[in-house]
Amino acid sequence: MPDFIAISDLPRFLDQPVKLRGWIRAIRSSGKIRFVELRDGTGDCQCTVEAAYAEAFAALEGCGQESSVEICGVSRAEPRGPGGVEVSAREVRVLHQAEAYPIARKEHGVDFLMQHRHLWLRSPRQAAILRVRHRIIQAARQFFDDNGFTLIDTPIFQPGAAEGAGTLFEVDYFGDPAFLAQTGQLYLETAAMALGKVYCFGPTFRAEKSKTRRHLTEFWMIEPEIAFYELEDLEALSEEFLSQIVQAVLTHNRADLELLERNVAALENIRAPFPRMTYSEAVDFLHDPGLHEKLEAELEAERGRLGEIRKAISETETQLGQVTKAWKVEKLGNDLKALKEQAGELERWLANRPAHIEDAKNFQWGKDFGGDEETILSNQFERPLIVTEYPREVKAFYMKQNPADPRTVRNLDVLAPEGYGEIIGGSQREDDLQTLLDRMAEEGMDPEPYQWYLDLRRYGSVPHGGFGLGIERTVSWICGLKHIRETIPFPRLMGKMMP
RNA sequence: UCCAGCGUGGCUCAAUGGUAGAGCGGGUGACUGUUAAUCACUAGGUUGUAGGUUCGAGUCCUACCGCUGGAGCCA
C-alpha cells in the first residue's frame, strides 16, 4: 500500500490501491452504498463506500460535513464522479467526527459568512481566491527578484505620517505616540540609495473611515523603489510588472479563474503597452464631446442589459410556477432576489449616470479624480490606464515637481479596467533639497523629524522613484470579485475585527 | 460622519394588527449510483433590545444596538 497521496495526483494512480486523507465536503447515502465527497486542499474526489465493506461502511455512521477521515481504496476512472476519478473504499478511518457544520451547501448571508470566516475559507470559491492571491504575490516577488531588486523590510512602527495625517492608527510606544505604517516608501528611498533597486512587501494600515467594497483598514502592498529612475521608467516598469502578474495567474490558475466564473478573455488582453495619458489630457478627454457620445451609447447599451435582466426575472418567475420541490422553490426565490437586486443596482446606476456625465463635462482642472471620473476614464480601455502628472496640490509632498509645468508633479496612477479603480500609485520623488523644503513648508510640515529623509538630498541626491501595488485590489480585479473582503483571509474592515 | 435598507429556529426565508410556519441543516428509520439524492417521522422560538399605541403587536410608533449597501477619503 503506497503512502497517502494528494487528490490532485489521483489521475496518476489509476486502478491502483491509494490512501487519501482529508475532510468530508458532502456525504450521501443510498442504503447499501455511501458517497463521500472528499477534499484535501489539493482537490475533491468522490469515494464510494459499499456495505459489503462492513467496517468501512459502519465507520461513517454519524459522520457529517467536514468530518476528517483517512480512506484506503482503489482508484478508477468514473465519469459519474466529479473530476472523473473515483475511489472505491476498502477501509475508512475516522479521525474526527465533526459537529453539525454551520455552513450548509446553500446560500448564506454575508454577515453570517463573515462571522464564520475561519470556516468559510474551506469553501471552493474562497480557496480558489486564496490560491490566486498567493500566485499574485508569488509572481510579484518573482518579477522583482528576477530583475535585480533586493527585498527590504521597512518598519511597521513609524514616528509620523508619510502622507496626510489623521488616517493613521496611533499606538502607545513605551509612553510615546507611534503610528502603524501606511507605506514603507520613505525608508525604501534610503535603501534605494544604498542598493539601487529595492522593494518592500508588507502590511499597511489606514484608519480611514471608509465603508466600501474597495477598502480595508489593513492591507498588503508591494512597493519598488529605484535609483536613477524617472517617471517614464516607472510607467514602463508598472506595465511590465502588471502584465507578468496577470500572465502568471493565467498560466497557473486557470481552473481557479473558471471556478470564479472570471471572464478570462478580458485578462488575456492585459499585455504591454498600456494606454497612457497625463492628468491634463485626461481632463480634456472628460470634456471631449466624442466621449460624451460614447457614454450616451453606453447608457443605451446598459438600458438594453436592464431589459435582459428583467426578461430573466420573468423567466425565473415562470420556472418558479413549475417547480414544486420546496428547496428548489427556495433556490429560485433566491435567484429571483439576486436578479432583482441586480436590476435595482443597474437602475440606480442608470439614474445617476446622466449626472456623472454632466460632472465629467464640467470637471475642473486641479481637482482630484473621484471614483466616478476614474471609472469613466478606465472603462474606455480594455487594459489598465496609466494617468500621470497630477496637480501638485492634490498629491503628497515628496513627489517630484514637474520641471515642464510646476503646477503638476511627476506621478503616476494605474487604473485597473472594469471599474476596479486605482491599483498602483507612485511617483518620481523630489530630489532637490530646497524644492522639497519649500513644499513641506507649503503643507505646514515640520522638517525636523524628516532630517534623515532630507539627508538623501544632501549626500549624492539622484533622480529616483517608485510605486505601490495594492495586493487586495489586484486580487479583486483579477478574480473579478464584487467585494474586497474576500481577497484576504481575515479582512480588517472599519469597525470589524472578528474572527 | 451622512443617506437608504434590513434584524423571525443553527442557516435561508414566509406569516391583511387576530393560534409563529416551510425548506435546508440536526436526530431516527427506508433505499446499491448519489451529485444541494429521495421518502417518512422527529426535536428545535421570550420574533435584535427597551419603551409606547391597541381588546390584541413579528406586523404600527419612538429610541437604542447590530448588520448591509452607497457617499466622502484612498491602494
Side-chain angles (χ1 to χ4, degrees):
Chain A
M1 186 65 89
D3 221 340
F4 289 105
I5 65 161
I7 288 175
S8 58
D9 286 336
L10 212 44
R12 297 200 288 115
F13 292 88
L14 275 186
D15 302 310
Q16 291 177 39
V18 290
K19 285 167 80 177
L20 302 175
R21 55 185 162 187
W23 298 262
I24 295 176
R25 193 184 290 289
I27 183 163
R28 291 175 287 274
S29 152
S30 179
K32 297 289 182 292
I33 183 167
R34 296 194 210 264
F35 299 91
V36 174
E37 256 178 66
L38 190 72
R39 64 168 188 91
D40 71 349
T42 72
D44 285 22
C45 161
Q46 178 161 281
C47 304
T48 56
V49 187
E50 294 176 39
Y53 300 93
E55 268 183 53
F57 191 81
L60 286 169
E61 190 61 45
C63 278
Q65 227 181 318
E66 292 303 317
S67 296
S68 44
V69 293
E70 291 175 0
I71 293 180
C72 306
V74 177
S75 67
R76 63 194 151 76
E78 171 55 81
R80 286 176 292 185
V85 181
E86 213 171 69
V87 168
S88 304
R90 300 286 182 268
E91 293 167 40
V92 172
R93 184 167 158 240
V94 176
L95 302 176
H96 180 247
Q97 208 171 82
E99 296 173 25
Y101 191 63
I103 302 181
R105 300 189 92 197
K106 60 178 281 184
E107 291 169 45
H108 291 276
V110 177
D111 186 29
F112 175 79
L113 288 171
M114 284 300 288
Q115 277 166 21
H116 295 82
R117 182 65 179 163
H118 53 296
L119 301 177
W120 190 19
L121 297 180
R122 303 181 186 194
S123 307
R125 192 184 150 80
Q126 298 306 311
I129 294 168
L130 292 183
R131 281 190 295 268
V132 173
R133 176 189 170 94
H134 165 257
R135 179 69 52 198
I136 288 168
I137 291 170
Q138 193 268 334
R141 296 196 49 170
Q142 184 86 52
F143 176 84
F144 292 130
D145 294 346
D146 288 349
N147 285 284
F149 284 73
T150 302
L151 175 71
I152 297 295
D153 298 312
T154 55
I156 286 172
F157 287 130
Q158 293 187 6
E163 292 169 36
T167 60
L168 296 148
F169 285 104
E170 190 174 333
V171 294
D172 178 84
Y173 195 74
F174 303 113
D176 286 329
F179 302 90
L180 298 183
Q182 61 175 176
T183 167
Q185 185 209 316
L186 302 191
Y187 295 93
L188 208 53
E189 283 185 49
T190 72
M193 298 303 127
L195 294 151
K197 295 163 115 181
V198 294
Y199 74 99
C200 67
F201 177 53
T204 58
F205 307 87
R206 307 272 164 103
E208 287 151 11
K209 297 197 169 163
S210 308
K211 268 180 78 173
T212 81
R213 58 180 77 181
R214 295 200 305 281
H215 286 88
L216 294 165
T217 56
E218 176 184 299
F219 64 97
W220 289 68
M221 191 153 69
I222 190 159
E223 301 173 82
E225 187 77 29
I226 314 99
F228 305 107
Y229 254 45
E230 303 199 15
L231 178 59
E232 293 71 16
D233 304 311
L234 293 171
E235 292 174 38
L237 185 72
S238 66
E239 185 174 77
E240 203 44 50
F241 180 53
L242 279 179
S243 305
Q244 290 203 20
I245 290 172
V246 172
Q247 292 310 316
V249 174
L250 284 169
T251 305
H252 301 285
N253 297 76
R254 218 159 251 274
D256 292 320
L257 294 174
E258 275 158 23
L259 193 149
L260 294 166
E261 296 176 312
R262 179 63 164 104
N263 175 1
V264 174
L267 290 179
E268 279 167 340
N269 250 321
I270 310 301
R271 290 173 188 280
F274 294 167
R276 299 160 199 227
M277 53 175 72
T278 64
Y279 170 89
S280 297
E281 285 166 352
V283 173
D284 289 344
F285 188 59
L286 287 174
H287 293 163
D288 180 6
L291 174 69
H292 306 148
E293 274 174 37
K294 220 175 142 189
L295 293 176
E296 295 289 351
E298 198 183 293
L299 197 58
E300 236 2 87
E302 290 300 299
R303 286 205 184 97
R305 204 163 68 85
L306 181 60
E308 277 169 32
I309 293 174
R310 289 201 171 126
K311 211 172 110 196
I313 288 176
S314 70
E315 275 167 16
T316 308
E317 277 168 345
T318 312
Q319 280 178 40
L320 204 50
Q322 294 160 352
V323 168
T324 49
K325 191 113 221 94
W327 70 262
K328 283 182 180 161
V329 170
E330 185 191 314
K331 171 155 185 357
L332 283 175
N334 283 339
D335 289 353
L336 196 60
K337 209 178 130 197
L339 281 170
K340 282 182 175 164
E341 257 168 44
Q342 236 182 64
E345 208 170 294
L346 193 52
E347 272 166 22
R348 240 173 295 129
W349 186 88
L350 286 169
N352 291 329
R353 195 56 170 180
H356 292 164
I357 297 176
E358 210 46 41
D359 286 348
K361 283 181 186 166
N362 299 326
F363 188 86
Q364 287 192 339
W365 196 101
K367 283 197 332 185
D368 201 357
F369 293 132
D372 298 336
E373 285 88 13
E374 273 187 5
T375 307
I376 287 176
L377 288 169
S378 59
N379 274 351
Q380 305 312 309
F381 305 93
E382 293 183 338
R383 297 175 185 190
L385 171 65
I386 303 177
V387 187
T388 58
E389 296 172 292
Y390 281 58
R392 207 180 61 194
E393 279 79 10
V394 301
K395 288 293 172 183
F397 74 95
Y398 51 74
M399 293 188 177
K400 171 90 179 156
Q401 213 172 83
N402 193 354
D405 177 4
R407 294 181 309 160
T408 63
V409 288
R410 301 266 284 161
N411 78 303
L412 80 163
D413 278 1
V414 181
L415 309 178
E418 301 169 74
Y420 281 92
E422 188 182 342
I423 51 172
I424 281 181
S427 72
Q428 191 176 331
R429 318 303 185 190
E430 184 53 71
D431 50 70
D432 179 71
L433 180 61
Q434 196 51 53
T435 312
L436 189 53
L437 285 168
D438 291 348
R439 185 74 180 94
M440 289 174 81
E442 206 174 280
E443 294 279 307
M445 293 170 66
D446 177 8
E448 206 38 51
Y450 292 93
Q451 287 308 328
W452 61 272
Y453 181 69
L454 295 168
D455 272 354
L456 301 182
R457 281 78 184 165
R458 294 189 177 105
Y459 305 106
S461 188
V462 298
H464 66 288
F467 57 76
L469 172 83
I471 295 294
E472 287 73 18
R473 284 198 184 169
T474 306
V475 174
S476 198
W477 163 51
I478 293 181
C479 290
L481 305 181
K482 280 177 71 181
H483 202 296
I484 201 163
R485 66 183 154 225
E486 292 183 42
T487 62
I488 183 167
F490 295 96
R492 294 296 175 247
L493 298 151
M494 180 189 152
K496 202 159 184 139
M497 212 166 86
M498 281 295 278

